[in-house]
């Protein structure tokens, strides 16, 4: 069964977000909520709740839609007039209030109109499936399951799937496959237990972390500093996370979970009244959506000063950087150095983590079949770098078991088994294996069609490697170029590895294609600004000039290589990272790719062929207006304004992706899809002919200069902005010798790129922008 039409009932934050993400995947969606007015009123009024939700999402940031036009795939309606239309859809998702009676009443109405074989699911996060379907017809029960999305549905990769004993296997397989391939979800099969997996462990962790901070006398800042990056958890930590999700949600989740859990569950032992939290909620301090929470921004002095609350007194003061020796020790000694340190930071880390370790180990296989499911749920649902069992392995199961015993606490059977076996995970024969409850090891499963570089690395050695990049054989004659610098920035070693990749493939009968890909958070944040700034501040201009020239040459060799090159970005692909995409024969992009030529933001122009290639792409696009000026104007706006596409679909609009380039929703399928595209191109590959561009020359530059002067006069552009824009205009219009009657060779534009870059990088304003960007991650306007 294929999902082409769906309905979401409930147009609140979650329901509308789910509808938007279904629309992102190309599904036609019917979004229903309770009606406004009375029957016979205008449809706009009757459908006001659903229609209003769509309009709010179009203005939201971060955007639920990957492209604004996808909103047209959602049809608003209401649960009185439009319920019969459920007969048209393949999948019906209920996302209404967490009230069993309300849900069951809705289910009976759904059952009366839906067609045979359609699938119904609930987005509940608290109610057991057995209670949801109790007393309902067998046909409904067989087609029903729980699909628990995490908020926001577009960005959070976890989908918890719960099937009942009577749920059709085909229904489960259909939703699991669709969510994986089309929604990009990591699907975790959960048992029908309270909180499922992620929230069961995650809520326990949050409670432990709050209580331990209070008991051990840590400040908000100290607790968040310890319970974040040092343990592989996002920098929001604990109190920052509560501010993010909303303080008012915490008591509701706590009460719901406590009511559903067995009386002997360890969660009950860590619950306690917290008057400070109650006071904050009552006064409107509900976190970022309210007046603040554990942190707030004080603007009373005209400045934005971050403040943190004192957990003892409830008063706010300027947030202070924590000074704990345990944090310093953890930077060099890792997790064990942190949990062994005697200061309050170390005691806090062990108190929280040890309870979470014991709790997780005690509830497998109750909540899920395997430790892999639990680790995956916390990594995808809470953005942990490591799941609880992976964290235990970093300390050693025997170590954790011994310390629990020394603390006088019970050591769960599964943890004792791991202590005897040596680890929860191990590598055998080039494959990662996990410990089962039985004590046996099995291969960590991968869905069919998934190819991960982390698995390739376990079973092989690189074809070539330096400090910044590596080459890997990923099978079938395809080589993968992996960048592994900080933020995967491009430096001379990366450039050297591009040259090595070209020589390796060209000089061998064994290889026939190249994929540029990595499994870091970002494809590439661009050139290494720190290296460029160091060279500039020390007057090493020949070094910068060499970097520009060598980088441009390497990128052009990629463009003209006698084999296909496929770029497979995910996350940021900025500056030099974007230029790799522009020089590739094809791009297979993760849907969450954020692409742009942002060099103008730091006061220079793209010089690794970004200007040349974007112009060429825009000029060749049959959907765009003809003539020499339209592609120049489009490139000038995109580069000059440092536009960044906020999805792979937006990247097509800006010209960074072609219509023929592919988009993959599931990050774990990206490498396999890119490899398949490379093999497809390799079958009958011919390198592209050198480009020639028809450019307007001085007359076109005059037009662009006039527009920039107007912006300067209005105060929109700074003096340095106009300098950068003038240099960019000269590059894009082909220089003083260009004439729209004669094509301009690409090499001419490339030379203009290099010259403009070197002229701008020598200015004090550009160096100030570079330094500011490195320090803050944000561009400076000067």
């Amino acid at each position: 069964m294929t999902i082409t039409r769906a309905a979401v009932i409930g147009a609140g934050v979650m329901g509308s977000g789910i509808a938007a993400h279904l629309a992102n995947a190309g599904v036609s969606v019917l979004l229903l909520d309770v009606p406004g007015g009375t029957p016979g009123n205008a449809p706009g009024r009757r459908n006001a709740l659903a229609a209003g939700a769509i309009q709010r999402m179009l203005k939201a940031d971060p955007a639920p839609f990957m492209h604004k036009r996808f909103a047209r795939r959602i049809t608003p309606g209401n649960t009185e007039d439009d319920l019969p239309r459920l007969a048209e859809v393949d999948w019906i998702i209920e996302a209404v209030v967490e009230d069993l009676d309300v849900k069951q009443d809705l289910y009976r109405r759904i059952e009366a109109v839906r067609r045979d074989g359609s699938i119904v699911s609930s987005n509940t996060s608290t109610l057991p499936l057995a209670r949801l379907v109790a007393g309902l017809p067998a046909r409904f029960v067989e087609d029903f399951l729980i699909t628990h999305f995490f908020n926001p549905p577009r960005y959070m990769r976890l989908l918890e799937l719960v099937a009942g004993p009577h749920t059709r296997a085909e229904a489960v397989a259909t939703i699991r496959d669709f969510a994986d391939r089309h929604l990009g979800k990591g699907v975790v099969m959960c048992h029908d237990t309270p909180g499922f997996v992620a929230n069961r462990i995650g809520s326990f962790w949050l409670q432990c972390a709050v209580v331990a901070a209070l008991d051990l006398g840590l400040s908000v800042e100290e607790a968040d500093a310890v319970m974040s990056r040092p343990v592989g958890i996002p920098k929001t930590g604990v109190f920052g996370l509560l501010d993010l999700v909303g303080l008012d949600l915490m008591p509701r989740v706590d009460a719901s979970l406590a009511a559903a859990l067995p009386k002997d569950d360890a969660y009950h032992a860590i619950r306690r009244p917290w008057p400070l939290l109650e006071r904050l909620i009552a006064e409107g301090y509900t976190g970022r959506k309210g007046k603040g929470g554990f942190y707030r921004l004080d603007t009373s002095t005209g400045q934005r000063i971050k403040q943190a609350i004192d957990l003892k007194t409830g008063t706010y003061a300027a947030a202070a950087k924590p000074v704990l020796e345990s944090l310093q020790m953890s930077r060099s000694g890792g997790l064990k150095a942190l949990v062994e340190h005697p200061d309050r930071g170390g005691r806090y880390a062990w108190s929280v983590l040890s309870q979470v370790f014991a709790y997780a180990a005690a509830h497998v296989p109750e909540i899920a079949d395997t430790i892999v499911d639990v680790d995956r749920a916390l990594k995808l649902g809470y953005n942990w770098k490591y799941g609880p069992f992976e964290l235990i392995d970093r300390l050693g199961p025997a170590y954790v078991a011994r310390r629990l015993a020394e603390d006088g606490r019970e050591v769960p059977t599964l943890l004792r088994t791991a202590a005897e076996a040596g680890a929860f995970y191990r590598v055998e024969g080039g494959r990662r294996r996990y410990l089962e409850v039985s004590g046996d090891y099995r291969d960590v499963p991968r869905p069919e069609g998934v190819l991960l570089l982390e698995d390739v690395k376990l079973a092989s050695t690189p074809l070539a490697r330096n400090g910044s990049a590596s080459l890997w054989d990923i099978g079938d004659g395809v080589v993968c170029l992996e960048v592994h610098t900080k933020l995967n920035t491009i430096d001379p070693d990366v450039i050297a590895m591009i040259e090595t990749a070209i020589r390796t493939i060209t000089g061998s009968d064994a290889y026939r294609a190249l994929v540029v890909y990595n499994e870091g958070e970002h494809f590439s944040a661009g050139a290494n600004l720190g290296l460029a700034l160091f060279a500039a501040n020390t007057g090493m201009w020949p070094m910068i000039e060499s970097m520009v020239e060598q980088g441009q040459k390497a990128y052009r060799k990629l463009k003209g290589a006698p084999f296909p090159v496929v770029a497979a970005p995910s996350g940021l692909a900025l500056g030099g990272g974007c230029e790799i995409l522009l020089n590739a024969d094809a791009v297979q992009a993760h849907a969450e790719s954020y692409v742009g030529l942002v060099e103008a933001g730091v006061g220079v122009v793209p010089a690794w062929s970004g200007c040349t290639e974007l112009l060429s792409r825009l000029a060749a696009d049959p959907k765009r207006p003809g003539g020499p000026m339209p592609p120049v104007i489009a490139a000038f706006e995109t580069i000059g304004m440092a536009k960044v596409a906020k999805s792979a679909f937006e990247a097509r609009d800006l010209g960074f992706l072609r219509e023929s380039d592919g988009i993959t929703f599931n990050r774990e399928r990206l490498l396999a899809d890119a490899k398949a595209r490379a093999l497809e191109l390799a079958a009958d590959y011919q390198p592209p002919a050198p480009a020639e561009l028809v450019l307007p020359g001085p007359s076109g530059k005059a037009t662009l200069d006039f527009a920039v002067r107007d912006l300067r006069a209005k105060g929109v552009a700074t003096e340095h902005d106009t300098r950068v824009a003038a240099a960019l205009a000269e590059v894009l219009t082909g220089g003083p010798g260009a004439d729209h009657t004669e094509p301009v060779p690409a090499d001419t534009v490339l030379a203009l790129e290099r010259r403009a870059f070197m002229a701008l990088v020598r200015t004090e304003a550009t160096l100030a922008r570079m330094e500011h960007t490195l320090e803050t991650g944000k561009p400076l306007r000067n």
Side-chain angles (χ1 to χ4, degrees):
M1 177 181 172
T2 302
I3 306 293
T4 58
R5 296 181 62 84
V8 179
I9 305 178
V13 172
M14 281 303 298
S16 59
I18 293 168
H21 197 48
L22 288 166
N24 290 334
V27 176
S28 297
V29 185
L30 179 65
L31 179 62
L32 306 181
D33 210 308
V34 294
T38 58
N41 282 143
R45 184 175 175 186
R46 296 282 285 170
N47 303 337
L49 287 177
I54 297 168
Q55 292 305 309
R56 283 192 298 275
M57 289 193 293
L58 284 169
K59 301 172 185 175
D61 187 18
F65 292 109
M66 291 181 176
H67 198 290
K68 288 185 182 296
R69 68 172 177 266
F70 294 166
R72 298 197 291 267
R73 295 172 179 166
I74 304 179
T75 302
N78 68 77
T79 52
E80 284 187 9
D81 305 331
D82 301 299
L83 210 63
R85 297 185 63 184
L86 297 182
E88 304 167 9
V89 307
D90 309 304
W91 183 13
I92 303 163
I93 302 171
E94 168 268 303
V96 302
V97 63
E98 292 285 79
D99 183 297
L100 182 62
D101 292 335
V102 171
K103 289 180 186 288
Q104 285 210 324
D105 177 67
L106 177 61
Y107 295 161
R108 291 186 177 91
R109 296 172 63 200
I110 290 171
E111 178 63 3
V113 297
R114 74 181 184 95
R115 62 174 177 78
D116 285 339
S118 63
I119 299 167
V120 184
S121 70
S122 174
N123 187 54
T124 183
S125 60
T126 59
L127 295 172
L129 184 145
R131 293 183 65 196
L132 290 173
V133 299
L136 292 171
R139 185 183 84 136
F140 185 89
V141 174
E142 290 170 0
D143 290 334
F144 184 84
L145 38 79
I146 289 173
T147 49
H148 181 216
F149 290 82
F150 278 64
N151 191 36
R154 169 183 165 181
Y155 300 97
M156 296 303 294
R157 289 182 55 205
L158 178 62
L159 179 71
E160 293 183 316
L161 197 58
V162 182
H166 304 294
T167 306
R168 286 187 299 115
E170 183 189 352
V172 176
T174 295
I175 298 303
R176 185 172 189 170
D177 184 72
F178 180 82
D180 169 352
R181 296 176 186 273
H182 300 279
L183 298 180
K185 298 301 178 185
V187 180
V188 171
M189 295 300 302
C190 306
H191 296 166
D192 193 17
T193 56
F196 311 130
V197 176
N199 283 342
R200 178 75 172 271
I201 305 298
S203 296
F204 183 84
W205 163 67
L206 284 170
Q207 285 283 359
C208 287
V210 168
V211 169
L214 295 170
D215 289 348
L216 294 171
L218 273 78
S219 68
V220 165
E221 303 98 302
E222 289 173 334
D224 282 350
V226 172
M227 201 51 52
S228 55
R229 286 175 173 168
V231 297
I233 288 171
K235 64 180 181 180
T236 48
V238 175
F239 295 100
L241 176 61
L242 293 173
D243 277 358
L244 180 64
V245 300
L247 271 61
D248 52 334
L249 183 64
M250 188 177 177
R252 296 203 298 269
V253 172
D254 169 58
S256 175
L257 192 58
L261 289 170
K263 295 192 185 320
D264 61 350
D265 192 273
Y267 185 82
H268 296 293
I270 59 171
R271 296 183 72 223
R272 66 174 68 170
W274 193 10
L276 175 60
L277 179 65
E278 296 170 6
R279 193 202 86 192
L280 287 171
I281 295 170
E283 293 177 358
Y285 285 91
T286 55
R288 295 188 188 182
K289 65 184 179 182
K291 296 188 292 185
F294 296 106
Y295 298 96
R296 73 176 185 183
L297 282 177
D298 179 25
T299 58
S300 60
T301 62
Q303 296 179 305
R304 292 164 60 87
I305 299 174
K306 184 179 182 180
Q307 296 183 327
I309 201 166
D310 186 309
L311 294 174
K312 293 179 181 177
T313 65
T315 58
Y316 286 98
K321 184 176 181 179
V323 180
L324 292 169
E325 190 175 280
S326 54
L327 287 175
Q328 288 182 308
M329 296 296 291
S330 72
R331 293 187 185 104
S332 58
L335 185 58
K336 186 169 284 189
L338 176 65
V339 300
E340 287 187 338
H341 201 280
D343 74 5
R344 61 180 178 273
R347 287 182 284 123
Y348 177 67
W350 173 250
S351 173
V352 176
L353 292 179
S354 62
Q355 291 182 80
V356 172
F357 294 161
Y359 193 74
H363 288 87
V364 176
E366 176 197 339
I367 60 176
D369 287 338
T370 71
I371 63 168
V372 178
D373 293 323
V374 175
D375 280 346
R376 191 165 166 78
L378 270 297
K379 289 191 290 185
L380 296 179
Y382 279 71
N383 284 327
W384 288 13
K385 185 175 182 180
Y386 311 102
F389 296 101
E390 291 172 325
L391 279 171
I392 293 174
D393 272 357
R394 293 179 72 80
L395 292 171
Y399 172 86
V400 174
R402 175 178 60 78
R403 284 201 61 178
L404 285 175
E406 289 172 353
D407 292 346
R409 288 185 277 168
E410 183 179 351
V411 179
T413 301
L414 182 57
L415 181 55
R416 288 201 301 271
T417 302
E420 293 170 3
F424 280 106
Y425 295 92
R426 66 187 186 193
V427 177
E428 291 181 335
R431 299 183 69 86
R432 193 176 189 222
R433 313 195 83 202
Y434 72 94
L435 183 70
E436 291 192 300
V437 177
S438 65
D440 297 325
Y441 282 90
R442 285 199 177 184
D443 289 347
V444 172
R446 301 293 188 205
E448 183 182 353
V450 167
L451 173 63
L452 296 178
L453 199 54
E454 69 173 87
D455 291 341
V456 172
K457 292 178 181 181
L458 293 178
S460 63
T461 56
L463 300 173
R465 181 183 177 88
N466 60 32
S468 300
S470 301
L471 297 182
W472 299 92
D473 183 339
I474 58 173
D476 301 310
V478 181
V479 174
C480 177
L481 169 60
E482 175 202 22
V483 180
H484 40 71
T485 56
K486 184 178 180 181
L487 290 177
N488 297 318
T489 52
I490 313 296
D491 63 17
D493 277 353
V494 174
I495 299 301
M497 191 56 67
I498 292 174
E499 298 274 8
T500 301
I502 294 168
R503 289 194 304 270
T504 299
I505 300 172
T506 303
S508 172
D509 294 334
Y511 303 117
R512 51 187 178 141
L514 177 68
V515 170
V516 186
Y517 165 90
N518 66 70
E519 287 171 0
E521 184 178 356
H522 301 297
F523 180 73
S524 175
N528 186 328
L529 277 185
L531 183 61
L533 187 61
F534 169 78
N537 285 334
T538 54
M540 299 171 66
W541 302 112
M543 178 181 172
I544 297 178
E545 194 159 5
S546 175
M547 285 175 59
V548 172
E549 186 173 354
Q550 295 307 313
Q552 196 180 85
K553 284 181 178 178
Y555 279 42
R556 299 313 284 173
K557 286 181 182 178
L558 279 181
K559 179 76 175 179
F563 52 82
V565 176
V566 176
S570 178
L572 298 178
L574 304 178
C578 177
E579 287 169 303
I580 290 177
L581 274 56
L582 290 170
N583 281 281
D585 295 286
V587 177
Q588 185 68 40
H590 182 221
E592 297 296 351
S593 292
Y594 315 122
V595 187
L597 292 170
V598 296
E599 287 85 348
V602 292
V604 293
V605 299
W608 285 342
S609 74
C611 299
T612 307
E613 282 305 311
L614 184 59
L615 270 176
S616 180
R617 290 275 185 95
L618 295 171
D621 187 348
K623 294 183 178 179
R624 296 179 184 272
M629 276 305 287
V632 168
I633 292 170
F636 185 74
E637 290 179 354
T638 297
I639 299 172
M641 297 175 66
K643 290 183 178 180
V644 176
K646 295 183 179 179
S647 73
F649 295 97
E650 288 190 4
R652 277 182 175 158
D653 285 356
L654 295 177
F656 298 130
L657 268 64
R658 312 171 187 86
E659 284 298 319
S660 59
D661 288 328
I663 296 176
T664 299
F665 268 74
N666 194 320
R667 179 70 171 80
E668 293 181 347
R669 294 186 177 277
L670 182 59
L671 181 56
D673 288 350
K675 177 184 172 182
R677 180 71 174 127
L679 290 171
E680 179 186 332
L681 292 171
D684 189 21
Y685 182 73
Q686 292 293 325
E692 290 189 330
L693 300 165
V694 178
L695 300 175
S699 62
K701 183 178 183 302
T703 301
L704 298 178
D705 287 343
F706 178 81
V708 173
R709 283 197 301 272
D710 184 53
L711 293 175
R712 175 73 173 133
K714 293 177 180 177
V716 176
T718 68
E719 182 180 351
H720 194 56
D721 289 334
T722 60
R723 189 180 296 120
V724 175
L728 178 62
E730 177 151 322
V731 173
L732 295 176
T733 55
D739 184 326
H740 67 86
T741 61
E742 294 290 337
V744 177
D747 285 347
T748 300
V749 185
L750 292 168
L752 290 168
E753 286 185 17
R754 295 195 303 272
R755 188 174 70 186
F757 181 95
M758 290 307 302
L760 290 167
V761 80
R762 291 173 180 268
T763 63
E764 290 185 9
T766 287
L767 295 180
R769 288 190 180 192
M770 285 185 172
E771 189 168 356
H772 182 83
T773 301
L774 278 172
E775 289 177 356
T776 68
K778 299 176 182 178
L780 171 71
R781 296 206 63 225
N782 58 347

